[in-house]
PDB file of all heavy atoms in Angstrom:
ATOM      1  N   GLN B 442      29.908  19.769  51.271  1.00 92.00           N
ATOM      2  CA  GLN B 442      29.626  20.578  52.467  1.00 92.00           C
ATOM      3  C   GLN B 442      28.608  19.909  53.363  1.00 92.00           C
ATOM      4  O   GLN B 442      28.178  20.500  54.340  1.00 92.00           O
ATOM      5  CB  GLN B 442      29.120  21.967  52.008  1.00 92.00           C
ATOM      6  CG  GLN B 442      30.049  22.825  51.212  1.00 92.00           C
ATOM      7  CD  GLN B 442      29.352  23.999  50.516  1.00 92.00           C
ATOM      8  OE1 GLN B 442      28.451  24.534  51.048  1.00 92.00           O
ATOM      9  NE2 GLN B 442      29.799  24.365  49.327  1.00 92.00           N
ATOM     10  N   GLY B 443      28.148  18.697  52.987  1.00 93.00           N
ATOM     11  CA  GLY B 443      27.185  17.989  53.822  1.00 93.00           C
ATOM     12  C   GLY B 443      25.726  18.307  53.432  1.00 93.00           C
ATOM     13  O   GLY B 443      24.808  17.847  54.125  1.00 93.00           O
ATOM     14  N   LYS B 444      25.512  19.021  52.385  1.00 94.00           N
ATOM     15  CA  LYS B 444      24.196  19.272  51.888  1.00 94.00           C
ATOM     16  C   LYS B 444      23.610  18.006  51.230  1.00 94.00           C
ATOM     17  O   LYS B 444      24.355  17.140  50.784  1.00 94.00           O
ATOM     18  CB  LYS B 444      24.122  20.420  50.871  1.00 94.00           C
ATOM     19  CG  LYS B 444      24.976  21.642  51.239  1.00 94.00           C
ATOM     20  CD  LYS B 444      24.379  22.450  52.400  1.00 94.00           C
ATOM     21  CE  LYS B 444      25.171  23.809  52.544  1.00 94.00           C
ATOM     22  NZ  LYS B 444      24.640  24.609  53.686  1.00 94.00           N
ATOM     23  N   GLY B 445      22.266  17.968  51.154  1.00 95.00           N
ATOM     24  CA  GLY B 445      21.613  16.838  50.464  1.00 95.00           C
ATOM     25  C   GLY B 445      20.930  17.382  49.227  1.00 95.00           C
ATOM     26  O   GLY B 445      20.422  18.515  49.183  1.00 95.00           O
ATOM     27  N   VAL B 446      20.963  16.582  48.130  1.00 96.00           N
ATOM     28  CA  VAL B 446      20.386  17.009  46.838  1.00 96.00           C
ATOM     29  C   VAL B 446      19.381  15.966  46.341  1.00 96.00           C
ATOM     30  O   VAL B 446      19.712  14.779  46.303  1.00 96.00           O
ATOM     31  CB  VAL B 446      21.542  17.174  45.776  1.00 96.00           C
ATOM     32  CG1 VAL B 446      20.952  17.426  44.389  1.00 96.00           C
ATOM     33  CG2 VAL B 446      22.478  18.330  46.183  1.00 96.00           C
ATOM     34  N   LEU B 447      18.194  16.469  46.001  1.00 97.00           N
ATOM     35  CA  LEU B 447      17.244  15.703  45.248  1.00 97.00           C
ATOM     36  C   LEU B 447      17.312  16.217  43.800  1.00 97.00           C
ATOM     37  O   LEU B 447      17.041  17.387  43.533  1.00 97.00           O
ATOM     38  CB  LEU B 447      15.841  15.826  45.808  1.00 97.00           C
ATOM     39  CG  LEU B 447      15.536  15.163  47.151  1.00 97.00           C
ATOM     40  CD1 LEU B 447      14.140  15.419  47.610  1.00 97.00           C
ATOM     41  CD2 LEU B 447      15.752  13.643  47.045  1.00 97.00           C
ATOM     42  N   TYR B 448      17.628  15.312  42.874  1.00 96.00           N
ATOM     43  CA  TYR B 448      17.877  15.698  41.486  1.00 96.00           C
ATOM     44  C   TYR B 448      16.782  15.075  40.635  1.00 96.00           C
ATOM     45  O   TYR B 448      16.805  13.912  40.308  1.00 96.00           O
ATOM     46  CB  TYR B 448      19.257  15.204  41.058  1.00 96.00           C
ATOM     47  CG  TYR B 448      19.769  15.737  39.725  1.00 96.00           C
ATOM     48  CD1 TYR B 448      20.498  16.919  39.702  1.00 96.00           C
ATOM     49  CD2 TYR B 448      19.486  15.098  38.515  1.00 96.00           C
ATOM     50  CE1 TYR B 448      20.993  17.456  38.499  1.00 96.00           C
ATOM     51  CE2 TYR B 448      19.955  15.621  37.328  1.00 96.00           C
ATOM     52  CZ  TYR B 448      20.687  16.763  37.332  1.00 96.00           C
ATOM     53  OH  TYR B 448      21.129  17.328  36.127  1.00 96.00           O
ATOM     54  N   PHE B 449      15.801  15.914  40.266  1.00 94.00           N
ATOM     55  CA  PHE B 449      14.631  15.452  39.479  1.00 94.00           C
ATOM     56  C   PHE B 449      14.921  15.618  37.986  1.00 94.00           C
ATOM     57  O   PHE B 449      15.204  16.710  37.527  1.00 94.00           O
ATOM     58  CB  PHE B 449      13.377  16.363  39.800  1.00 94.00           C
ATOM     59  CG  PHE B 449      13.011  16.314  41.272  1.00 94.00           C
ATOM     60  CD1 PHE B 449      13.673  17.117  42.199  1.00 94.00           C
ATOM     61  CD2 PHE B 449      11.988  15.509  41.714  1.00 94.00           C
ATOM     62  CE1 PHE B 449      13.314  17.123  43.555  1.00 94.00           C
ATOM     63  CE2 PHE B 449      11.626  15.507  43.040  1.00 94.00           C
ATOM     64  CZ  PHE B 449      12.299  16.277  43.962  1.00 94.00           C
ATOM     65  N   SER B 450      14.900  14.517  37.252  1.00 90.00           N
ATOM     66  CA  SER B 450      15.329  14.580  35.858  1.00 90.00           C
ATOM     67  C   SER B 450      14.751  13.452  35.025  1.00 90.00           C
ATOM     68  O   SER B 450      14.490  12.354  35.500  1.00 90.00           O
ATOM     69  CB  SER B 450      16.821  14.579  35.772  1.00 90.00           C
ATOM     70  OG  SER B 450      17.242  14.709  34.403  1.00 90.00           O
ATOM     71  N   SER B 451      14.590  13.737  33.716  1.00 83.00           N
ATOM     72  CA  SER B 451      14.279  12.686  32.748  1.00 83.00           C
ATOM     73  C   SER B 451      15.466  12.445  31.833  1.00 83.00           C
ATOM     74  O   SER B 451      15.379  11.693  30.881  1.00 83.00           O
ATOM     75  CB  SER B 451      13.087  13.112  31.884  1.00 83.00           C
ATOM     76  OG  SER B 451      13.287  14.384  31.264  1.00 83.00           O
ATOM     77  N   GLU B 452      16.622  12.981  32.219  1.00 82.00           N
ATOM     78  CA  GLU B 452      17.879  12.722  31.516  1.00 82.00           C
ATOM     79  C   GLU B 452      18.610  11.536  32.195  1.00 82.00           C
ATOM     80  O   GLU B 452      19.217  11.711  33.203  1.00 82.00           O
ATOM     81  CB  GLU B 452      18.763  13.936  31.527  1.00 82.00           C
ATOM     82  CG  GLU B 452      18.175  15.188  30.778  1.00 82.00           C
ATOM     83  CD  GLU B 452      18.208  15.006  29.275  1.00 82.00           C
ATOM     84  OE1 GLU B 452      18.868  14.119  28.791  1.00 82.00           O
ATOM     85  OE2 GLU B 452      17.461  15.718  28.575  1.00 82.00           O
ATOM     86  N   TRP B 453      18.415  10.404  31.631  1.00 85.00           N
ATOM     87  CA  TRP B 453      18.914   9.149  32.272  1.00 85.00           C
ATOM     88  C   TRP B 453      20.412   9.155  32.547  1.00 85.00           C
ATOM     89  O   TRP B 453      20.864   8.746  33.615  1.00 85.00           O
ATOM     90  CB  TRP B 453      18.561   7.942  31.469  1.00 85.00           C
ATOM     91  CG  TRP B 453      17.119   7.820  30.984  1.00 85.00           C
ATOM     92  CD1 TRP B 453      16.719   7.493  29.722  1.00 85.00           C
ATOM     93  CD2 TRP B 453      15.932   8.050  31.762  1.00 85.00           C
ATOM     94  NE1 TRP B 453      15.339   7.518  29.699  1.00 85.00           N
ATOM     95  CE2 TRP B 453      14.862   7.853  30.899  1.00 85.00           C
ATOM     96  CE3 TRP B 453      15.705   8.430  33.114  1.00 85.00           C
ATOM     97  CZ2 TRP B 453      13.496   7.989  31.335  1.00 85.00           C
ATOM     98  CZ3 TRP B 453      14.391   8.579  33.504  1.00 85.00           C
ATOM     99  CH2 TRP B 453      13.319   8.352  32.640  1.00 85.00           C
ATOM    100  N   GLN B 454      21.217   9.612  31.546  1.00 84.00           N
ATOM    101  CA  GLN B 454      22.658   9.556  31.712  1.00 84.00           C
ATOM    102  C   GLN B 454      23.079  10.465  32.837  1.00 84.00           C
ATOM    103  O   GLN B 454      24.018  10.122  33.592  1.00 84.00           O
ATOM    104  CB  GLN B 454      23.351   9.902  30.394  1.00 84.00           C
ATOM    105  CG  GLN B 454      24.845   9.595  30.424  1.00 84.00           C
ATOM    106  CD  GLN B 454      25.130   8.113  30.637  1.00 84.00           C
ATOM    107  OE1 GLN B 454      24.611   7.280  29.918  1.00 84.00           O
ATOM    108  NE2 GLN B 454      25.938   7.814  31.660  1.00 84.00           N
TER     109      GLN B 454
END
Side-chain angles (χ1 to χ4, degrees):
Q442 297 167 33
K444 315 288 189 182
V446 172
L447 287 178
Y448 192 90
F449 301 81
S450 182
S451 55
E452 296 288 344
W453 311 135
Q454 192 61 54

